[in-house]
Amino acid sequence: LQINGLNFNYGLQYSATIKKDYFLNLGASLNSGKEYKSRYEEISFSYNYYGTTDTISWSADSSKVFLPGTIRMGLSFGKKNKLTAAFDYIITKWSESTLRDSEGYLGDTRSMLFGVEYIPEKYSNYSSLKRMEYRVGAHIEDNYLVLNGEQVKEFGLSIGVGIPLRRSLSKANLFMDYTRRSGQGSLLQKENYFTMGA
């Protein structure tokens, strides 16, 4: 399935200083649902005893599909160069999409993301450990997949660290995330994901 098109993301952000060194940021963004051009190709094969294949059928058609818009809202507050706490809420109405063969398999997603960043002493001249940015986060989400009439749920925890590079304004970011994906019913299997990255 190939989808082509152009869309825009609109956003607003408000920043305020509560008192000396303390801040508050509020933001929201929206990209509207839109129809896109699509091309769907399907190829079927047969396999024989010797491992060779023969093409049974091939088909292709072009049409338009509707992909839903996404609304994002968030806030962060804290003390400059010391502590930041943030919360994001994201909604996408995947049930309104018209992707081929997806009827009954897509549900609306609602995601809540939380995070905290702490810097012991951002401008320390003596300790690189004090200049590091320590992060911890969590997310709870209704996944877009609906299997056996039940929507898949997600829960995850993450930790990370930002390491300032010497004689540079850049930094190296490392993280590790654990996500559990499951349903409430006994028919759905449970999946555990561990992700590491930089």
Side-chain angles (χ1 to χ4, degrees), residues 9-27:
N9 195 41
Y10 306 93
L12 291 172
Q13 182 169 304
Y14 171 76
S15 299
T17 300
I18 302 174
K19 59 180 183 178
K20 184 180 179 181
D21 293 334
Y22 289 88
F23 65 89
L24 172 68
N25 294 323
L26 299 171

Side-chain angles (χ1 to χ4, degrees), residues 69-157:
T70 297
I71 299 173
R72 298 176 177 88
M73 296 169 285
L75 68 88
S76 65
F77 60 91
K79 185 176 182 180
K80 293 179 181 177
N81 299 321
K82 191 71 172 180
L83 179 69
T84 301
F87 170 75
D88 287 316
Y89 184 60
I90 306 171
I91 305 171
T92 305
K93 291 197 171 184
W94 281 106
S95 61
E96 297 178 354
S97 70
T98 58
L99 290 170
R100 182 174 174 139
D101 298 328
S102 67
E103 186 175 349
Y105 291 97
L106 296 178
D108 298 341
T109 60
R110 294 172 182 84
S111 305
M112 292 186 290
L113 302 94
F114 313 85
V116 176
E117 177 186 83
Y118 175 69
I119 309 171
E121 193 175 336
K122 186 176 179 68
Y123 301 108
S124 173
N125 292 323
Y126 305 103
S127 173
S128 58
L129 292 177
K130 288 185 177 181
R131 293 195 302 272
M132 289 186 183
E133 302 166 355
Y134 300 93
R135 304 176 185 125
V136 62
H139 63 91
I140 302 170
E141 178 180 342
D142 293 328
N143 191 276
Y144 64 87
L145 284 175
V146 177
L147 302 174
N148 300 320
E150 183 182 350
Q151 190 163 4
V152 176
K153 308 291 184 182
E154 282 191 15
F155 170 77
L157 296 171

Side-chain angles (χ1 to χ4, degrees), residues 153-192:
K153 308 291 184 182
E154 282 191 15
F155 170 77
L157 296 171
S158 62
I159 57 173
V161 61
I163 306 171
L165 302 180
R166 280 193 167 193
R167 299 175 183 175
S168 172
L169 296 177
S170 301
K171 57 189 168 187
N173 292 300
L174 308 175
F175 74 90
M176 183 169 60
D177 177 85
Y178 163 73
T179 296
R180 179 182 179 87
R181 182 180 294 172
S182 63
Q184 300 299 320
S186 59
L187 294 177
L188 292 183
Q189 68 181 32
K190 294 177 173 59
E191 298 176 327
N192 297 293

